[in-house]
Amino acid sequence: MTVLPVTIWGEPVLHRRASEVEVFDDELRTLIADMFETNDAANGVGLAAPQVGVGKRIFVFKYANEDDAPDEGVLVNPVLTLSKIPGALPDPEEDVEGCLSFPGEHYPLQRAEWARVQGFDGHGNPVDFVATGWFARVMQHEFDHLDGKLYVNRLVDRYAKKAMKQAKKNGWGVPGLTWMPGVDPDPFGH
């Protein structure tokens, strides 16, 4: 298994819809294993293939939950069915997200409290479970990556402006920027 570099906001693969996986083979399972290794090295709760430069509809997760779902898994070609997203402003203490591709930053975002997650594992076997609370947030966050969205694209105006100001300050928004989990300092201080 190999730790892969994580792409940073501005890399084109992060900003376009990923393509469906059509072949479930050893190459796919190697990518999945590398994604798990990268997610672990980055102390992440999830990692989508576009975050490692691969425009495929795959994400891995590692999040202890009480939803009768695995604490660690992979979703290939996932589909999410969501409860309604509350219309209230996000709580700046309770609803804060971060992203390995927008490293070191945190902003509040309102998400659905419930998600039905369907897709396939790395062998093409069906996966179907319900996620609630923060686990549902993780599923939505990773799924968004597959549609070319980062959580900062969903922020309300005042937080979106702060995020874009920080991105400019960090020199992001251009292709070719990455960071290497386990080599570069952990941007989230784990």
Side-chain angles (χ1 to χ4, degrees):
M1 292 184 290
T2 304
V3 175
L4 304 170
V6 175
T7 58
I8 294 176
W9 184 79
E11 184 63 33
V13 72
L14 290 172
H15 304 287
R16 64 177 174 252
R17 187 180 192 282
S19 61
E20 303 286 328
V21 171
E22 296 178 6
V23 178
F24 291 79
D25 58 7
D26 287 342
E27 185 177 331
L28 173 68
R29 287 182 286 279
T30 297
L31 172 62
I32 291 167
D34 291 347
M35 288 173 64
F36 275 118
E37 188 79 7
T38 304
N39 190 53
D40 284 347
N43 298 300
V45 295
L47 183 73
Q51 293 183 274
V52 293
V54 179
K56 294 289 183 183
R57 296 187 75 76
I58 309 162
F59 70 78
V60 299
F61 65 90
K62 185 176 185 177
Y63 189 83
N65 67 83
E66 298 174 3
D67 289 322
D68 198 27
D71 289 346
E72 184 173 279
V74 60
L75 271 297
V76 179
N77 298 336
V79 175
L80 263 60
T81 305
L82 304 175
S83 63
K84 186 176 178 182
I85 298 172
L89 287 174
D91 184 307
E93 308 249 338
E94 298 294 321
D95 296 325
V96 175
E97 283 187 34
C99 180
L100 298 176
S101 290
F102 209 86
E105 306 301 328
H106 299 87
Y107 299 98
L109 176 63
Q110 195 70 274
R111 294 275 193 184
E113 284 291 314
W114 178 94
R116 181 174 181 194
V117 183
Q118 297 170 287
F120 301 93
D121 68 12
H123 295 278
N125 300 311
V127 175
D128 189 344
F129 60 85
V130 170
T132 61
W134 270 94
F135 188 38
R137 179 180 293 272
V138 171
M139 296 296 103
Q140 293 167 76
H141 181 109
E142 298 310 326
F143 183 82
D144 273 355
H145 279 298
L146 306 182
D147 284 340
K149 291 184 171 65
L150 278 72
Y151 85 106
V152 294
N153 298 119
R154 294 191 177 277
L155 299 175
V156 296
D157 283 348
R158 77 174 179 197
Y159 297 119
K161 288 176 185 173
K162 287 181 181 181
M164 292 308 103
K165 185 177 180 181
Q166 191 62 44
K168 185 176 181 179
K169 179 180 174 186
N170 290 337
W172 301 339
V174 297
L177 300 177
T178 62
W179 69 278
M180 192 67 185
V183 175
D184 293 329
D186 185 323
F188 295 100
H190 295 109

